[in-house]
Structure formats: C-alpha cells, structure tokens
Amino acid sequence: MPLLSRTAAASEPAGSPDNRRPRRRTALVAATAGLAVLAVGTPVAYATLDSGASPEPRPAVAGAVRGKDYIETRLLFGTERPDGGAVVTDRQFLAFIDEEVTPRFPNGLTLQDGRGQWRDSHGVIEHERSYELTLLYPASEARLRGRQIERIRDAYEKEYAQDSVGRLEERVTADF
C-alpha cells in the first residue's frame, strides 16, 4: 500500500481501515487492563489437611475498614462408611453436632446439606450425601480453636468409620 501524506490520511472517510486501527488498539488495551484488575482481585482459599498450621495472612480488601480478623473453618463430613456399614443419618449427625461441636463452639455455627464425591483410600470414587459445617472465630483464638476442631474431626472419623473429614480455612474480616 502506498504511503499517504498526512493530508491524504486525514481526508479519508472515518470508516476506513487505517482510521479504525487506533480504536481497536484502544479497546484491546482497555479490555486487557480490565482482565488484569479482575485477576488481581481474585480471592484465595487456604486448605490444610492434618497439618494443624494456621493459614497465611492475606492482605485486607482495599477500602475495607469495618470488622475484625476472624478465621472461617469449613469441615466436610461424608455419610457413607468405607467399611460398608449403614450411612450416617440426619438424626445421628445432628446428635454428633450437639455432643461434639456445640460445646466447643457455643456462639454459633452454620450447617449445610451437600452432595459430594471423592476418591477413598482404596481408589474408588465415592458419591455421597454430605454436610458442610462452617465455624467462625476470632483469629486470636486460632491455636485453641484449631485443637478443638481436630478433636471434632477425630471423633467423627472414629465414631462413623470415616477415612477423613475435610478441613478448609480462610482468614476473613467480619463485623457483627
């Protein structure tokens, strides 16, 4: 394509290919910048498996000045027994919560029903009804609460012949 003088390029119609390139480049740069902002703001979850370690601190959300540092621990309880025994019933699970969890966390908890799958210790993929228990406590109590949570996990594994109880933790800011 021959080179055009400045005057000739300026006199071309607005829809010509040469005049659309800067707009496309600007739109591409804007879209890339937007994706970069979204990627930087993506939350991170910390999972611990029998390590007892506290999660790494994460930076505070920009502009968040309300609330205090808490730890959110989620426990994942399966109901199928690897030994082929009867599944854990709702009544049994709620009794477990009353006996093992509530005395350790009397200020509150959240319980949700779920469906899950995982590979058991024999390599078999199991599909089962499950429960997700959410506990929220001040970060200053993490060491004490961590030991209590491990006792809850151990008790459930022993009482209901489970291979494991999943544990996920995340540092959060909460205001009540």
Side-chain angles (χ1 to χ4, degrees):
M1 178 170 154
L3 293 176
L4 298 175
S5 70
R6 205 178 201 124
T7 328
S11 65
E12 285 188 30
S16 72
D18 288 334
N19 285 340
R20 280 185 264 155
R21 284 190 185 137
R23 287 186 189 142
R24 286 184 183 157
R25 185 176 304 144
T26 302
L28 181 60
V29 169
T32 302
L35 289 173
V37 168
L38 289 174
V40 169
T42 303
V44 177
Y46 301 93
T48 61
L49 298 174
D50 294 329
S51 70
S54 299
E56 293 294 321
R58 73 174 187 176
V61 176
V65 293
R66 178 179 260 172
K68 296 181 180 173
D69 286 337
Y70 278 78
I71 303 293
E72 176 184 24
T73 300
R74 295 182 317 182
L75 298 178
L76 307 172
F77 297 89
T79 57
E80 299 284 331
R81 297 183 194 218
D83 63 5
V87 299
V88 179
T89 66
D90 286 339
R91 176 176 278 174
Q92 289 172 315
F93 188 77
L94 292 175
F96 177 83
I97 294 295
D98 289 344
E99 295 165 15
E100 296 289 339
V101 181
T102 300
R104 292 180 172 102
F105 293 88
N107 290 339
L109 54 90
T110 301
L111 186 60
Q112 297 180 33
D113 289 325
R115 298 284 311 161
Q117 80 175 41
W118 73 301
R119 188 179 307 271
D120 70 13
S121 60
H122 303 290
V124 176
I125 294 179
E126 300 287 342
H127 300 269
E128 62 186 322
R129 187 173 53 84
S130 60
Y131 298 97
E132 180 177 342
L133 173 66
T134 303
L135 303 167
L136 190 64
Y137 48 92
S140 61
E141 299 176 9
R143 187 176 305 262
L144 167 69
R145 299 301 186 169
R147 288 190 299 266
Q148 292 173 332
I149 289 166
E150 286 309 302
R151 287 186 192 114
I152 291 166
R153 294 175 72 202
D154 290 342
Y156 190 80
E157 290 169 9
K158 288 176 187 164
E159 189 167 339
Y160 297 108
Q162 297 292 300
D163 285 338
S164 69
V165 171
R167 179 178 179 171
L168 296 93
E169 291 188 344
E170 186 171 5
R171 190 173 287 270
V172 298
T173 302
D175 184 31
F176 298 96

